[in-house]
Amino acid sequence: MNHLTTPFRKAATLLFLLAAILPALAAGPGDWRKAVISITTYDTDGKLIHSGNGFFVGEGGEAVASYALFAGAAKAVVIDASGKKHDVTRILGASQNYDLVRFHADTDKNDWLPIATADAAQGAQLSVVPYSVDKKSTPLAATVDEASKFDNYAYYTLTAENAERLAGCPVVTAGGEVVAITQLNVSPGAKGICAIDVQAAKDLHVNTLSYMNKDLQGIHIQTALPEKEEDALSYLYMFSMSRRDSAACAAAFDDFIQAFPHNASAYLQRAEFYALHADYARAETDIRHVTENHKDKAAQAHYTLSKLVYDKIVNHPQPPYKDWTAEKALAEAEAACATSDQPLYRLQLGYCQFVLKQYEKAYETFLSLAGTDMESSEAYYYAARSLEMSGGDSLRVLALADSAVARCERPLTAAGAPFVLARAGYRMRCGLYREAAADYSDYESAIGSRNLNAHFYYLRQQAELNGRMYQQALDDIDKAISLEADEPLYHLERAALMLRVGENEEALRSAQQAQKLSPDNADAYLFAGLALGELGKKSQALEALNQAKAKGAPDADAYIERYSK
């Protein structure tokens, strides 16, 4: 008897195993409907906006549907064939062009349809499976009337009814594999519904640049992260820097840390994100987690905290937060350098020393970056400023400013322009007026005249005036006046320039305009008196000069004496 029962037992075991795996390979028509779902979407106010069909294409809640169903949605709920509701938790990919979306519903166990490995040919007999909770419902027969290509994907016209109630349904082979997802046929008078290769939906993914994807932005449900850790971290960084939807960004950080809990960089990035939104307590908590649990990242953690504290006290000093002071920023920078003497950490140390007015130390720190990958225009600029503030030699300060400018990109861009502007000021203080005027002109070329104000043209006029570039000086003071005609200083500067070149009538007009704008300005009367005197109108000159004296002009007496003779 044993030789008879053993084969029977083996056969029974084999049948049991086959029964366990067959539903995943080729479910019968009665089971196909279990993978189809009803979807309802809502806007940010909770108002219903769309309802339609979709279906599961993978374990753990992976499903596909029409993009139009999700456009503008802030929430979506799916109902499976058993009537159970599940929230849509993440969007896995989207394409308005294909009118497809791939998403994840909140379920760990669901029936799903395997995807066909081959396209259907014209004339193929398929089935469209609508959503139904009725166990007795049957699929709708559909023949491929036409098969074509849309991009690299199969596109079909079927004999099934072109009805909205059938849009978003799976098109299934006799073996239980899904070939396509139905879409309304928008051709005039069309009777047969269309369908696009379901592989087009399966190929929708999130990548490092998806934070800029307009199709994903058109859906207000949280987007999933890229699957690879490196890609997800890059996406996370760019998404957080985009400053869009802070709640979505916070959720993305939580997703990443849940998926990759041992990635210290994510905690530091999240700390920067929290600080950007003034959530300093959470920022500190994340940084503390790194220093306590990731010793190899401790230096980076100290550096990050120093940078965040420094940004807070320099750019957002009010209201103050706890012990986030310049001293704390310095202490964290020192800790970073003590743990790992990296040029980047030294640069941060220099900033902290500078803001604490430790100028001699800051000078040495910034100068120590020469020959490292942190040697830059900014490092030399801060070295120059530190040396200047500590009372260093002006020519040495200018030499450092030259080094800053020498490292600027050419032709000069807006990024390098501030260093050229700074050198113009140093050149002025060293008496290099023509060279300063040239720097001002380079700055104007880089920034654009439309982005400059009257004060800039006044500064360049001063360099040109002292460099005896009189025509250029006149052009610039006229430009300053055209931009800010109500400023008396510019009219006085024009009057002084006109006196210097002997244009006394022009000098008088400018001085009189300054008097109108500032009736108590002693220089306005002094320049008017000088112009009148040079024009031979001595009595009027004396009257103006006496008014200048009465208003406090110290030089008035000497000119009164001159024109009294």
Side-chain angles (χ1 to χ4, degrees):
M1 181 176 288
N2 287 340
H3 72 280
L4 293 175
T5 56
T6 300
F8 174 78
R9 287 175 180 171
K10 289 182 178 179
T13 302
L14 180 60
L15 287 171
F16 176 79
L17 291 173
L18 286 173
I21 64 173
L22 277 176
L25 296 177
D31 293 322
W32 297 344
R33 67 169 187 84
K34 295 180 181 179
V36 186
I37 52 180
S38 174
I39 305 169
T40 306
T41 58
Y42 305 85
D43 64 13
T44 52
D45 295 324
K47 182 180 177 181
L48 187 149
I49 51 176
H50 298 294
S51 59
N53 305 301
F55 53 95
F56 290 116
V57 290
E59 294 177 302
E62 181 189 354
V64 298
S66 166
Y67 179 88
L69 193 60
F70 280 77
K75 177 180 173 63
V77 176
V78 307
I79 303 176
D80 62 25
S82 64
K84 293 181 180 178
K85 292 183 178 181
H86 309 280
D87 288 333
V88 172
T89 56
R90 294 292 183 268
I91 301 299
L92 305 176
S95 171
Q96 192 170 8
N97 186 42
Y98 295 143
D99 191 25
L100 292 172
V101 62
R102 190 168 69 92
F103 60 93
H104 177 267
D106 188 18
T107 176
D108 295 326
K109 185 177 181 181
N110 57 271
D111 290 277
W112 55 281
L113 295 169
I115 293 177
T117 56
D119 296 340
Q122 185 172 355
Q125 301 297 308
L126 304 172
S127 297
V128 174
V129 188
Y131 171 77
S132 178
V133 293
D134 184 358
K135 297 180 180 180
K136 296 181 180 180
S137 66
T138 57
L140 304 176
T143 303
V144 177
D145 193 41
E146 182 181 346
S148 59
K149 285 287 185 180
F150 180 38
D151 291 341
N152 293 321
Y153 299 106
Y155 200 79
Y156 307 103
T157 302
L158 307 176
T159 58
E161 180 186 4
N162 187 33
E164 188 170 354
R165 65 183 177 82
L166 296 181
C169 293
V171 181
V172 182
T173 67
E177 295 180 324
V178 58
V179 174
I181 177 173
T182 54
Q183 297 179 336
L184 283 179
N185 190 335
V186 295
S187 300
K191 294 183 178 180
I193 200 166
C194 291
I196 187 170
D197 190 345
V198 74
Q199 189 62 46
K202 282 290 285 186
D203 287 345
L204 296 176
H205 290 87
V206 179
N207 58 41
T208 55
L209 298 178
S210 289
Y211 75 101
M212 297 189 299
N213 186 296
K214 297 296 183 183
D215 294 342
L216 288 170
Q217 290 175 17
I219 301 172
H220 308 308
I221 299 170
Q222 185 76 23
T223 301
L225 294 175
E227 294 177 2
K228 293 183 179 178
E229 183 174 354
E230 184 178 350
D231 292 344
L233 192 63
S234 297
Y235 168 88
L236 199 56
Y237 173 77
M238 291 185 286
F239 184 36
S240 65
M241 291 298 102
S242 70
R243 302 192 179 189
R244 286 198 309 269
D245 195 344
S246 58
C249 192
F253 273 113
D254 292 344
D255 282 355
F256 183 93
I257 288 173
Q258 184 176 1
F260 310 106
H262 301 298
N263 190 308
S265 296
Y267 286 93
L268 298 180
Q269 281 190 27
R270 188 167 68 174
E272 292 180 343
F273 167 78
Y274 283 144
L276 186 65
H277 293 85
D279 194 343
Y280 305 116
R282 286 187 177 181
E284 276 194 302
T285 298
D286 274 352
I287 290 173
R288 192 182 308 115
H289 171 86
V290 175
T291 56
E292 292 175 356
N293 298 284
H294 302 272
K295 300 301 182 183
D296 59 323
K297 296 288 184 179
Q300 189 177 350
H302 287 300
Y303 161 74
T304 299
L305 183 54
S306 175
K307 187 174 62 171
L308 297 181
V309 174
Y310 177 88
D311 179 73
K312 168 77 174 79
I313 62 173
V314 171
N315 298 316
H316 312 284
Q318 298 300 327
Y321 174 71
K322 241 174 51 174
D323 62 341
W324 279 34
T325 62
E327 288 77 12
K328 182 177 181 66
L330 176 64
E332 292 295 331
E334 289 173 338
C337 290
T339 306
S340 178
D341 187 22
Q342 299 294 322
L344 177 63
Y345 304 159
R346 264 188 276 153
L347 179 64
Q348 177 62 22
L349 176 64
Y351 291 148
C352 297
Q353 291 168 334
F354 186 87
V355 81
L356 281 167
K357 300 182 180 180
Q358 298 178 5
Y359 297 123
E360 291 183 3
K361 288 183 178 179
Y363 167 72
E364 294 294 339
T365 300
F366 287 120
L367 214 57
S368 75
L369 298 172
T372 73
D373 56 359
M374 286 293 109
E375 181 179 30
S376 64
S377 294
E378 189 169 2
Y380 279 110
Y381 165 77
Y382 270 99
R385 288 278 291 128
S386 299
L387 184 59
E388 178 190 24
M389 299 302 290
S390 64
D393 179 72
S394 59
L395 290 178
R396 175 59 181 153
V397 171
L398 179 58
L400 290 169
D402 286 340
S403 295
V405 173
R407 281 156 183 81
C408 292
E409 184 180 348
R410 294 290 175 172
L412 189 66
T413 64
F419 305 113
V420 173
L421 183 64
R423 187 176 68 173
Y426 290 130
R427 282 178 162 178
M428 284 288 289
R429 290 191 280 279
C430 290
L432 301 172
Y433 301 118
R434 287 178 174 258
E435 292 84 348
D439 275 348
Y440 283 125
S441 295
D442 283 349
Y443 182 82
E444 180 187 37
S445 298
I447 297 297
S449 58
R450 292 183 179 181
N451 300 312
L452 297 172
N453 58 21
H455 183 67
F456 169 81
Y457 289 102
Y458 165 72
L459 290 176
R460 189 167 68 177
Q461 182 261 351
Q462 292 289 291
E464 292 160 343
L465 180 64
N466 285 287
R468 300 178 182 275
M469 303 163 66
Y470 297 127
Q471 184 58 55
Q472 293 93 323
L474 176 60
D475 291 341
D476 275 343
I477 202 62
D478 283 343
K479 179 70 172 178
I481 291 170
S482 73
L483 292 172
E484 197 172 340
D486 293 337
E487 174 52 60
L489 173 64
Y490 303 149
H491 294 281
L492 289 172
E493 283 296 330
R494 190 176 192 279
L497 176 58
M498 292 295 97
L499 284 170
R500 180 175 290 197
V501 297
E503 294 289 341
N504 298 310
E505 290 186 359
E506 285 294 318
L508 179 59
R509 275 195 286 271
S510 292
Q512 289 173 336
Q513 182 62 29
Q515 288 174 15
K516 292 178 183 178
L517 294 170
S518 182
D520 294 327
N521 192 302
D523 286 339
Y525 292 91
L526 180 67
F527 291 159
L530 292 176
L532 288 165
E534 294 304 305
L535 289 169
K537 300 177 181 180
K538 291 188 177 182
S539 61
Q540 291 175 271
L542 289 171
E543 181 182 352
L545 290 168
N546 279 309
Q547 286 181 289
K549 179 180 178 180
K551 294 178 185 300
D555 301 330
D557 282 332
Y559 294 114
I560 291 171
E561 183 179 352
R562 177 195 296 182
Y563 294 120
S564 295
K565 294 179 182 179

